[in-house]
Amino acid sequence: MAAHKVAHATLTGPSVVKEILIGISLGLVAGGLWKMHHWNEQRKTRAFYDLLEKVQFIASGPENFVDAWIAVSCVSMVHYYLLFEGKQL
């Protein structure tokens, strides 16, 4: 009796070079996303402190009604930022 030969897929070991390249690629993508997240947070923080410095400068001595109104509106913007962005001083 002749045995029928069936073609089976042969399992080969892992390709070391392929795994290294995939790992490097995934690492670069994850690192890029992480850096973009930190740049975005740094931009928000810098904008917040610039606004806070502007409020302190304006609130230091309003000379007339317009300056007082600008100071109050800037303070309310800081409070809005603190409430909805979840930042703490």
Side-chain angles (χ1 to χ4, degrees), residues 1-2 5 17 24 30 32 36 41-42 48 55 60 76-77 82:
M1 254 189 161
K5 293 200 173 198
V17 174
I24 288 173
M36 287 191 328
E41 288 297 317
Q42 189 178 32
F48 172 75
V55 167
S60 63
S76 65
M77 287 178 7
L82 289 172

Side-chain angles (χ1 to χ4, degrees), residues 15-84:
S15 173
V16 176
V17 174
K18 187 176 176 182
E19 285 192 20
I20 289 173
L21 291 177
I22 290 173
I24 288 173
S25 300
L26 290 175
L28 288 173
V29 168
L33 290 173
W34 187 251
K35 284 300 283 183
M36 287 191 328
H37 167 72
H38 277 279
W39 287 334
N40 191 26
E41 288 297 317
Q42 189 178 32
R43 181 185 54 81
K44 286 181 187 177
T45 303
R46 190 177 303 123
F48 172 75
Y49 281 111
D50 287 345
L51 180 64
L52 189 63
E53 185 176 311
K54 185 176 181 180
V55 167
Q56 288 174 351
F57 177 73
I58 291 173
S60 63
E63 305 270 335
N64 55 26
F65 176 76
V66 175
D67 288 339
W69 182 80
I70 291 173
V72 168
S73 64
C74 288
V75 168
S76 65
M77 287 178 7
V78 169
H79 284 266
Y80 174 83
Y81 186 84
L82 289 172
L83 283 174
F84 292 104

